[in-house]
Protein backbone atom coordinates (compact mmCIF):
# COMPACT_ATOMS: atom_id res chain seq x y z
CA UNK A 1 0.00 0.00 0.00
CA UNK A 2 1.63 3.24 -1.11
CA UNK A 3 1.64 6.33 1.08
CA UNK A 4 -0.87 8.26 -0.99
CA UNK A 5 -4.56 9.00 -0.75
CA UNK A 6 -6.17 10.69 -3.71
CA UNK A 7 -3.95 13.63 -4.60
CA UNK A 8 -2.02 13.42 -1.31
CA UNK A 9 1.41 11.88 -1.79
CA UNK A 10 4.27 11.36 0.62
CA UNK A 11 6.61 13.52 -1.44
CA UNK A 12 4.14 16.41 -1.32
CA UNK A 13 4.62 16.51 2.45
CA UNK A 14 8.29 17.36 1.87
CA UNK A 15 7.55 20.54 -0.11
CA UNK A 16 7.09 22.86 2.94
CA UNK A 17 10.54 21.96 4.35
CA UNK A 18 12.44 22.10 1.06
CA UNK A 19 13.06 25.83 1.52
CA UNK A 20 14.89 25.34 4.84
CA UNK A 21 17.02 22.34 3.86
CA UNK A 22 20.69 23.16 3.13
CA UNK A 23 21.42 22.63 -0.54
CA UNK A 24 24.30 22.92 -2.98
CA UNK A 25 23.27 24.73 -6.14
CA UNK A 26 23.91 22.74 -9.33
CA UNK A 27 26.56 24.22 -11.61
CA UNK A 28 25.30 26.47 -14.40
CA UNK A 29 28.28 25.63 -16.62
CA UNK A 30 30.59 22.78 -17.40
CA UNK A 31 33.14 22.42 -14.60
CA UNK A 32 36.69 22.13 -15.99
CA UNK A 33 38.95 19.31 -14.86
CA UNK A 34 41.31 21.52 -12.84
CA UNK A 35 38.41 23.04 -10.94
CA UNK A 36 37.06 19.56 -10.16
CA UNK A 37 40.44 18.61 -8.71
CA UNK A 38 40.36 21.80 -6.64
CA UNK A 39 36.88 21.11 -5.22
CA UNK A 40 37.79 17.47 -4.56
CA UNK A 41 40.93 18.53 -2.70
CA UNK A 42 38.98 21.05 -0.63
CA UNK A 43 36.39 18.39 0.27
CA UNK A 44 39.11 15.94 1.31
CA UNK A 45 40.86 18.62 3.34
CA UNK A 46 37.64 19.48 5.23
CA UNK A 47 36.95 15.79 5.83
CA UNK A 48 40.46 15.07 7.13
CA UNK A 49 40.41 18.15 9.37
CA UNK A 50 37.09 17.02 10.89
CA UNK A 51 38.63 13.57 11.43
CA UNK A 52 41.31 15.15 13.65
CA UNK A 53 39.25 17.69 15.64
CA UNK A 54 38.23 16.10 18.97
CA UNK A 55 34.73 16.58 20.32
CA UNK A 56 34.61 19.14 23.09
CA UNK A 57 33.02 18.07 26.37
CA UNK A 58 33.55 14.29 26.29
CA UNK A 59 35.01 12.27 29.14
CA UNK A 60 38.09 10.36 28.00
CA UNK A 61 37.41 6.63 28.04
CA UNK A 62 40.05 3.92 27.79
CA UNK A 63 37.52 1.20 27.04
CA UNK A 64 37.60 -0.76 23.78
CA UNK A 65 35.90 0.61 20.70
CA UNK A 66 32.94 -1.61 19.70
CA UNK A 67 32.87 -0.10 16.19
CA UNK A 68 36.60 -0.46 15.52
CA UNK A 69 36.26 -2.87 12.58
CA UNK A 70 33.38 -0.87 11.05
CA UNK A 71 34.96 2.58 11.12
CA UNK A 72 37.03 1.96 7.99
CA UNK A 73 33.90 1.28 5.92
CA UNK A 74 31.85 4.02 7.60
CA UNK A 75 34.70 6.59 7.26
CA UNK A 76 34.43 7.55 10.92
CA UNK A 77 36.97 8.34 13.61
CA UNK A 78 36.27 7.81 17.29
CA UNK A 79 36.12 10.83 19.56
CA UNK A 80 36.24 13.36 16.70
CA UNK A 81 33.70 15.34 14.71
CA UNK A 82 33.60 12.44 12.22
CA UNK A 83 32.28 10.08 14.88
CA UNK A 84 29.18 9.28 12.81
CA UNK A 85 30.99 9.26 9.47
CA UNK A 86 28.80 8.44 6.47
CA UNK A 87 26.44 6.23 8.50
CA UNK A 88 23.49 8.72 8.37
CA UNK A 89 23.84 9.12 4.59
CA UNK A 90 24.01 5.36 4.00
CA UNK A 91 21.09 4.64 6.32
CA UNK A 92 18.83 7.32 4.88
CA UNK A 93 19.63 6.32 1.30
CA UNK A 94 19.04 2.64 2.09
CA UNK A 95 15.67 3.29 3.74
CA UNK A 96 14.43 5.64 1.02
CA UNK A 97 15.49 3.28 -1.77
CA UNK A 98 13.70 0.40 -0.05
CA UNK A 99 10.54 2.48 0.34
CA UNK A 100 10.63 3.57 -3.28
CA UNK A 101 11.53 0.11 -4.62
CA UNK A 102 8.73 -1.60 -2.69
CA UNK A 103 6.21 1.04 -3.89
CA UNK A 104 5.45 2.16 -0.35
CA UNK A 105 6.05 5.69 -1.57
CA UNK A 106 5.19 6.76 -5.11
CA UNK A 107 8.17 8.22 -6.98
CA UNK A 108 8.37 8.91 -10.69
CA UNK A 109 12.07 9.25 -11.48
CA UNK A 110 11.28 10.56 -14.98
CA UNK A 111 9.84 13.75 -13.46
CA UNK A 112 12.33 16.41 -12.38
CA UNK A 113 10.08 17.57 -9.53
CA UNK A 114 9.78 14.05 -8.10
CA UNK A 115 13.54 13.58 -8.25
CA UNK A 116 14.10 16.85 -6.39
CA UNK A 117 11.51 15.95 -3.75
CA UNK A 118 12.96 12.46 -3.35
CA UNK A 119 16.47 13.84 -2.86
CA UNK A 120 15.07 16.39 -0.40
CA UNK A 121 13.29 13.64 1.54
CA UNK A 122 16.49 11.60 1.63
CA UNK A 123 18.43 14.61 2.89
CA UNK A 124 15.79 15.39 5.54
CA UNK A 125 15.80 11.79 6.69
CA UNK A 126 19.62 11.90 6.85
CA UNK A 127 19.49 15.00 9.08
CA UNK A 128 16.95 13.33 11.37
CA UNK A 129 19.10 10.20 11.59
CA UNK A 130 22.14 12.35 12.37
CA UNK A 131 20.32 14.06 15.21
CA UNK A 132 18.91 10.75 16.46
CA UNK A 133 22.29 9.02 16.44
CA UNK A 134 23.94 12.01 18.13
CA UNK A 135 21.36 11.95 20.92
CA UNK A 136 21.61 8.18 21.22
CA UNK A 137 25.41 8.29 21.42
CA UNK A 138 25.23 10.71 24.34
CA UNK A 139 22.36 8.91 26.09
CA UNK A 140 24.04 5.51 25.80
CA UNK A 141 27.13 6.71 27.67
CA UNK A 142 29.51 6.52 24.71
CA UNK A 143 31.28 9.67 25.92
CA UNK A 144 30.83 9.08 29.63
CA UNK A 145 27.97 9.11 32.08
CA UNK A 146 25.48 11.98 31.82
CA UNK A 147 26.24 12.83 35.43
CA UNK A 148 29.92 13.24 34.59
CA UNK A 149 29.61 15.29 31.40
CA UNK A 150 26.63 17.40 32.54
CA UNK A 151 23.59 18.66 30.63
CA UNK A 152 25.43 21.58 29.00
CA UNK A 153 28.23 19.43 27.60
CA UNK A 154 25.71 16.81 26.47
CA UNK A 155 23.81 19.39 24.40
CA UNK A 156 27.09 20.75 23.06
CA UNK A 157 28.23 17.27 21.98
CA UNK A 158 24.92 16.67 20.18
CA UNK A 159 25.22 19.99 18.34
CA UNK A 160 28.81 19.25 17.30
CA UNK A 161 27.88 15.86 15.87
CA UNK A 162 24.80 17.30 14.14
CA UNK A 163 26.66 20.11 12.39
CA UNK A 164 29.47 17.72 11.42
CA UNK A 165 26.81 15.48 9.88
CA UNK A 166 25.46 18.45 7.90
CA UNK A 167 28.98 19.11 6.60
CA UNK A 168 29.34 15.49 5.44
CA UNK A 169 25.94 15.59 3.68
CA UNK A 170 26.81 18.83 1.90
CA UNK A 171 30.25 17.55 0.86
CA UNK A 172 28.65 14.41 -0.59
CA UNK A 173 26.09 16.54 -2.43
CA UNK A 174 28.89 18.77 -3.72
CA UNK A 175 30.53 15.74 -5.32
CA UNK A 176 27.27 14.39 -6.74
CA UNK A 177 26.27 17.73 -8.29
CA UNK A 178 29.34 17.56 -10.53
CA UNK A 179 31.75 19.92 -8.77
CA UNK A 180 34.13 17.12 -7.84
CA UNK A 181 35.27 13.76 -9.15
CA UNK A 182 33.21 10.71 -8.24
CA UNK A 183 30.96 10.12 -5.27
CA UNK A 184 31.58 11.69 -1.88
CA UNK A 185 30.85 8.43 -0.05
CA UNK A 186 33.38 6.44 -2.09
CA UNK A 187 35.88 9.29 -1.80
CA UNK A 188 35.65 9.42 2.00
CA UNK A 189 35.91 5.65 2.34
CA UNK A 190 38.93 5.50 0.01
CA UNK A 191 40.59 8.36 1.89
CA UNK A 192 40.01 6.67 5.24
CA UNK A 193 41.41 3.36 3.96
CA UNK A 194 44.47 4.99 2.37
CA UNK A 195 45.15 6.94 5.55
CA UNK A 196 44.97 3.74 7.60
CA UNK A 197 47.28 1.82 5.23
CA UNK A 198 49.89 4.60 5.09
CA UNK A 199 49.82 5.08 8.87
CA UNK A 200 50.20 1.36 9.59
CA UNK A 201 53.06 1.14 7.10
CA UNK A 202 55.04 4.29 8.03
CA UNK A 203 53.90 5.18 11.56
CA UNK A 204 56.82 6.47 13.67
CA UNK A 205 54.96 5.84 16.92
CA UNK A 206 56.85 3.63 19.38
CA UNK A 207 55.36 1.10 21.78
CA UNK A 208 56.66 -1.13 24.52
CA UNK A 209 56.43 -4.90 24.00
CA UNK A 210 57.92 -7.93 25.69
CA UNK A 211 60.90 -7.73 23.34
CA UNK A 212 61.60 -4.05 23.88
CA UNK A 213 60.69 -0.87 22.04
CA UNK A 214 59.16 -1.31 18.58
CA UNK A 215 57.77 1.01 15.92
CA UNK A 216 54.13 0.70 14.95
CA UNK A 217 54.67 1.13 11.19
CA UNK A 218 55.54 -2.12 9.42
CA UNK A 219 58.17 -0.67 7.07
CA UNK A 220 59.74 1.55 9.75
CA UNK A 221 59.83 -1.41 12.14
CA UNK A 222 61.54 -3.55 9.47
CA UNK A 223 64.45 -1.12 9.13
CA UNK A 224 64.64 -0.79 12.93
CA UNK A 225 64.83 -4.59 13.34
CA UNK A 226 67.53 -4.94 10.67
CA UNK A 227 69.67 -2.24 12.30
CA UNK A 228 69.17 -3.03 16.00
CA UNK A 229 69.08 -6.85 15.96
CA UNK A 230 72.20 -8.96 15.65
CA UNK A 231 70.49 -11.96 14.03
CA UNK A 232 69.30 -10.55 10.69
CA UNK A 233 67.29 -13.65 9.80
CA UNK A 234 65.31 -13.53 13.05
CA UNK A 235 64.88 -9.77 12.61
CA UNK A 236 63.40 -10.29 9.13
CA UNK A 237 61.14 -13.06 10.46
CA UNK A 238 59.96 -10.77 13.24
CA UNK A 239 59.18 -8.05 10.68
CA UNK A 240 57.04 -10.45 8.66
CA UNK A 241 55.22 -12.31 11.43
CA UNK A 242 55.07 -10.13 14.57
CA UNK A 243 51.67 -10.25 16.29
CA UNK A 244 51.69 -7.10 18.42
CA UNK A 245 51.55 -4.61 15.52
CA UNK A 246 51.18 -4.44 11.72
CA UNK A 247 53.75 -6.54 9.88
CA UNK A 248 54.99 -6.95 6.32
CA UNK A 249 52.69 -9.91 5.71
CA UNK A 250 49.67 -7.70 6.36
CA UNK A 251 51.06 -5.05 4.02
CA UNK A 252 51.81 -7.47 1.17
CA UNK A 253 48.41 -9.15 1.57
CA UNK A 254 46.74 -5.75 1.26
CA UNK A 255 48.69 -4.96 -1.91
CA UNK A 256 47.86 -8.41 -3.34
CA UNK A 257 44.14 -7.95 -2.71
CA UNK A 258 44.38 -4.49 -4.28
CA UNK A 259 45.81 -5.87 -7.54
CA UNK A 260 43.36 -8.80 -7.58
CA UNK A 261 40.43 -6.39 -7.34
CA UNK A 262 41.87 -4.24 -10.14
CA UNK A 263 42.30 -7.36 -12.30
CA UNK A 264 38.71 -8.52 -11.77
CA UNK A 265 37.40 -5.02 -12.43
CA UNK A 266 38.18 -5.61 -16.10
CA UNK A 267 35.90 -8.66 -16.33
CA UNK A 268 32.60 -7.91 -18.01
CA UNK A 269 29.78 -9.58 -19.94
CA UNK A 270 28.41 -7.97 -23.11
CA UNK A 271 24.67 -8.36 -23.47
CA UNK A 272 23.25 -7.98 -27.01
CA UNK A 273 20.76 -5.13 -27.28
CA UNK A 274 18.23 -4.54 -30.06
CA UNK A 275 16.61 -1.17 -30.70
CA UNK A 276 12.83 -1.18 -31.14
CA UNK A 277 12.65 2.10 -33.03
CA UNK A 278 15.45 1.26 -35.48
CA UNK A 279 15.02 -2.17 -37.02
CA UNK A 280 18.09 -4.24 -37.68
CA UNK A 281 20.38 -2.14 -35.54
CA UNK A 282 22.03 -3.99 -32.67
CA UNK A 283 24.42 -3.09 -29.93
CA UNK A 284 25.91 -4.41 -26.72
CA UNK A 285 25.55 -3.39 -23.09
CA UNK A 286 28.57 -4.28 -20.91
CA UNK A 287 27.92 -5.50 -17.36
CA UNK A 288 30.95 -5.65 -15.07
CA UNK A 289 31.66 -8.61 -12.82
CA UNK A 290 31.80 -6.22 -9.85
CA UNK A 291 28.62 -4.47 -10.93
CA UNK A 292 27.46 -3.82 -7.37
CA UNK A 293 30.98 -2.78 -6.30
CA UNK A 294 31.27 -2.26 -2.51
CA UNK A 295 27.65 -1.20 -2.00
CA UNK A 296 26.54 -4.53 -0.36
CA UNK A 297 29.44 -4.34 2.13
CA UNK A 298 28.64 -0.72 2.97
CA UNK A 299 24.94 -1.47 3.48
CA UNK A 300 25.69 -4.53 5.60
CA UNK A 301 28.15 -2.57 7.74
CA UNK A 302 25.71 0.30 8.25
CA UNK A 303 22.90 -2.11 9.15
CA UNK A 304 25.01 -4.08 11.63
CA UNK A 305 26.39 -0.93 13.24
CA UNK A 306 22.89 0.52 13.69
CA UNK A 307 21.54 -2.72 15.17
CA UNK A 308 24.50 -3.07 17.52
CA UNK A 309 24.33 0.54 18.58
CA UNK A 310 20.61 0.53 19.39
CA UNK A 311 20.99 -2.77 21.25
CA UNK A 312 23.73 -1.05 23.28
CA UNK A 313 21.38 1.86 23.93
CA UNK A 314 18.57 -0.44 25.08
CA UNK A 315 20.97 -2.33 27.32
CA UNK A 316 22.21 0.89 28.96
CA UNK A 317 18.72 2.30 29.50
CA UNK A 318 16.81 -0.90 30.40
CA UNK A 319 19.27 -3.18 32.18
CA UNK A 320 16.54 -4.88 34.20
CA UNK A 321 14.56 -5.87 31.10
CA UNK A 322 14.96 -9.55 30.22
CA UNK A 323 14.96 -8.99 26.43
CA UNK A 324 17.61 -6.24 26.58
CA UNK A 325 19.82 -7.92 29.18
CA UNK A 326 19.41 -11.68 28.81
CA UNK A 327 21.07 -12.27 25.46
CA UNK A 328 24.00 -9.97 26.22
CA UNK A 329 24.74 -11.67 29.54
CA UNK A 330 24.48 -15.18 28.10
CA UNK A 331 26.73 -14.23 25.19
CA UNK A 332 29.36 -12.71 27.48
CA UNK A 333 29.28 -15.72 29.85
CA UNK A 334 29.62 -18.18 26.97
CA UNK A 335 32.61 -16.24 25.60
CA UNK A 336 34.28 -16.22 29.02
CA UNK A 337 33.64 -19.96 29.43
CA UNK A 338 35.27 -20.49 26.03
CA UNK A 339 38.33 -18.51 27.13
CA UNK A 340 38.58 -20.41 30.41
CA UNK A 341 38.25 -23.76 28.62
CA UNK A 342 41.06 -22.83 26.23
CA UNK A 343 43.17 -21.65 29.15
CA UNK A 344 42.55 -24.91 31.02
CA UNK A 345 43.45 -27.02 28.03
CA UNK A 346 46.66 -25.05 27.56
CA UNK A 347 47.49 -25.50 31.24
CA UNK A 348 46.95 -29.25 31.03
CA UNK A 349 49.21 -29.40 27.98
CA UNK A 350 51.99 -27.48 29.75
CA UNK A 351 54.93 -29.17 31.37
CA UNK A 352 54.13 -30.35 34.93
CA UNK A 353 57.50 -29.14 36.12
CA UNK A 354 57.02 -25.57 34.96
CA UNK A 355 53.65 -25.09 36.69
CA UNK A 356 52.58 -22.25 34.43
CA UNK A 357 51.17 -21.62 30.99
CA UNK A 358 53.91 -20.86 28.47
CA UNK A 359 53.89 -17.34 27.07
CA UNK A 360 52.82 -17.51 23.41
CA UNK A 361 51.57 -15.06 20.79
CA UNK A 362 48.23 -16.90 21.03
CA UNK A 363 47.71 -15.81 24.64
CA UNK A 364 48.76 -12.23 23.82
CA UNK A 365 46.35 -11.95 20.90
CA UNK A 366 43.61 -13.49 23.04
CA UNK A 367 44.05 -10.89 25.77
CA UNK A 368 44.09 -8.09 23.21
CA UNK A 369 41.15 -9.16 21.08
CA UNK A 370 38.69 -10.51 23.63
CA UNK A 371 37.55 -7.19 25.22
CA UNK A 372 36.88 -5.72 21.77
CA UNK A 373 34.06 -8.19 21.21
CA UNK A 374 32.38 -7.30 24.49
CA UNK A 375 30.77 -4.15 25.75
CA UNK A 376 33.14 -1.75 27.57
CA UNK A 377 31.73 -2.60 31.01
CA UNK A 378 31.59 -6.37 30.59
CA UNK A 379 34.97 -6.40 28.81
CA UNK A 380 36.65 -4.83 31.84
CA UNK A 381 35.03 -7.30 34.26
CA UNK A 382 35.93 -10.38 32.23
CA UNK A 383 39.44 -9.07 31.63
CA UNK A 384 39.96 -8.97 35.40
CA UNK A 385 38.45 -12.45 35.79
CA UNK A 386 40.60 -13.78 32.98
CA UNK A 387 43.72 -12.24 34.51
CA UNK A 388 42.89 -13.83 37.88
CA UNK A 389 42.31 -17.19 36.17
CA UNK A 390 45.66 -17.02 34.41
CA UNK A 391 47.36 -15.96 37.64
CA UNK A 392 45.82 -18.80 39.62
CA UNK A 393 46.78 -21.25 36.90
Amino acid sequence: MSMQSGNLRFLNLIKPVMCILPEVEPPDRRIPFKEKILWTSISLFVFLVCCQIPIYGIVTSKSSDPFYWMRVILASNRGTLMELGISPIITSGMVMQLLAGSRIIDVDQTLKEDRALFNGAQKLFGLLITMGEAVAYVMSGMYGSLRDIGAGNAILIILQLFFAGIVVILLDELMQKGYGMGSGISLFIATNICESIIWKAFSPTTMQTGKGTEFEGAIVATFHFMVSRGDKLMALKEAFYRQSAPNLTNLFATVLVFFIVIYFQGFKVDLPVKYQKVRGQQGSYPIKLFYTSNIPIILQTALVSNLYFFSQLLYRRFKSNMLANGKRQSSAVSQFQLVVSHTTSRHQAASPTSGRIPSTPWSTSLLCSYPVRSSPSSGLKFRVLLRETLRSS
Side-chain angles (χ1 to χ4, degrees), residues 245-258:
N247 52 51
L248 291 181
T249 304
N250 304 140
L251 183 60
F252 289 154
T254 303
V255 175
L256 177 63
V257 171
F258 180 76

Side-chain angles (χ1 to χ4, degrees), residues 19-308:
C19 59
I20 62 175
L21 290 177
E23 183 182 4
V24 177
E25 290 292 334
D28 54 356
R29 57 183 176 85
R30 186 177 180 272
I31 305 298
F33 181 73
K34 291 184 179 180
E35 191 172 342
K36 285 188 176 182
I37 294 180
L38 176 62
W39 283 111
T40 304
S41 303
I42 293 175
S43 301
L44 286 179
F45 178 76
V46 173
F47 173 76
L48 292 175
V49 168
C50 291
C51 285
Q52 302 300 324
I53 298 179
I55 301 175
Y56 176 80
I58 65 175
V59 177
T60 304
S61 177
K62 296 182 179 180
S63 60
S64 58
D65 185 9
F67 300 107
Y68 176 78
W69 300 107
M70 303 179 185
R71 294 194 182 277
V72 177
I73 302 298
L74 298 179
S76 64
N77 194 9
R78 188 185 188 188
T80 65
L81 294 178
M82 285 294 111
E83 177 75 59
L84 303 180
I86 61 174
S87 177
I89 303 177
I90 297 297
T91 306
S92 62
M94 178 175 58
V95 172
M96 292 301 298
Q97 291 293 337
L98 289 176
L99 293 178
S102 58
R103 303 294 182 182
I104 296 179
I105 60 176
D106 184 25
V107 182
D108 188 359
Q109 295 291 348
T110 60
L111 298 178
K112 183 178 180 180
E113 183 182 4
D114 276 20
R115 290 199 303 268
L117 291 176
F118 183 78
N119 293 332
Q122 184 172 328
K123 187 186 301 181
L124 176 62
F125 196 47
L127 294 177
L128 294 177
I129 291 177
T130 303
M131 176 60 72
E133 289 188 356
V135 173
Y137 265 64
V138 175
M139 297 296 293
S140 64
M142 185 71 73
Y143 305 116
S145 175
L146 289 177
R147 297 179 180 179
D148 297 334
I149 62 178
N153 284 337
I155 296 176
L156 189 59
I157 292 173
I158 294 174
L159 292 178
Q160 292 177 81
L161 293 177
F162 179 69
F163 284 110
I166 295 178
V167 170
V168 174
I169 293 175
L170 292 180
L171 290 178
D172 178 61
E173 187 177 2
L174 182 71
M175 296 292 104
Q176 292 183 355
K177 288 291 180 68
Y179 289 97
M181 298 178 357
S183 170
I185 295 176
S186 301
L187 185 66
F188 297 152
I189 294 176
T191 304
N192 205 18
I193 293 175
C194 292
E195 180 188 5
S196 177
I197 293 175
I198 293 176
W199 178 259
K200 290 182 179 180
F202 300 99
S203 172
T205 306
T206 58
M207 56 185 181
Q208 295 294 331
T209 63
K211 298 180 180 180
T213 304
E214 296 182 4
F215 286 93
E216 182 182 1
I219 296 179
V220 179
T222 302
F223 287 101
H224 177 256
F225 290 153
M226 298 300 293
V227 172
S228 61
R229 304 287 174 86
D231 191 346
K232 305 302 180 182
L233 183 61
M234 290 301 297
L236 192 61
K237 182 179 179 181
E238 182 72 17
F240 270 92
Y241 301 109
R242 65 172 182 170
Q243 301 292 327
S244 57
N247 52 51
L248 291 181
T249 304
N250 304 140
L251 183 60
F252 289 154
T254 303
V255 175
L256 177 63
V257 171
F258 180 76
F259 283 109
I260 290 176
V261 171
I262 293 179
Y263 176 73
F264 280 106
Q265 280 283 356
F267 281 70
K268 60 182 179 180
V269 177
D270 293 327
L271 295 180
V273 178
K274 293 183 178 181
Y275 296 93
Q276 294 181 352
K277 296 182 179 180
V278 182
R279 294 184 178 181
Q281 187 174 358
Q282 295 182 354
S284 62
Y285 182 79
I287 297 180
K288 291 185 176 182
L289 177 63
F290 289 163
Y291 178 75
T292 57
S293 186
N294 58 351
I295 298 299
I297 300 176
I298 296 175
L299 296 180
Q300 183 265 345
T301 305
L303 180 61
V304 171
S305 63
N306 288 328
L307 291 177
Y308 179 86

Side-chain angles (χ1 to χ4, degrees), residues 326-342:
K327 291 185 178 180
R328 183 175 296 274
Q329 283 187 351
S330 61
S331 175
V333 171
S334 62
Q335 290 177 1
F336 178 67
Q337 290 175 350
L338 177 63
V339 172
V340 173
S341 64
H342 278 296

Side-chain angles (χ1 to χ4, degrees), residues 345-358:
S345 62
R346 297 283 293 184
H347 176 66
Q348 293 175 353
S351 174
T353 58
S354 60
R356 61 181 180 87
I357 301 176

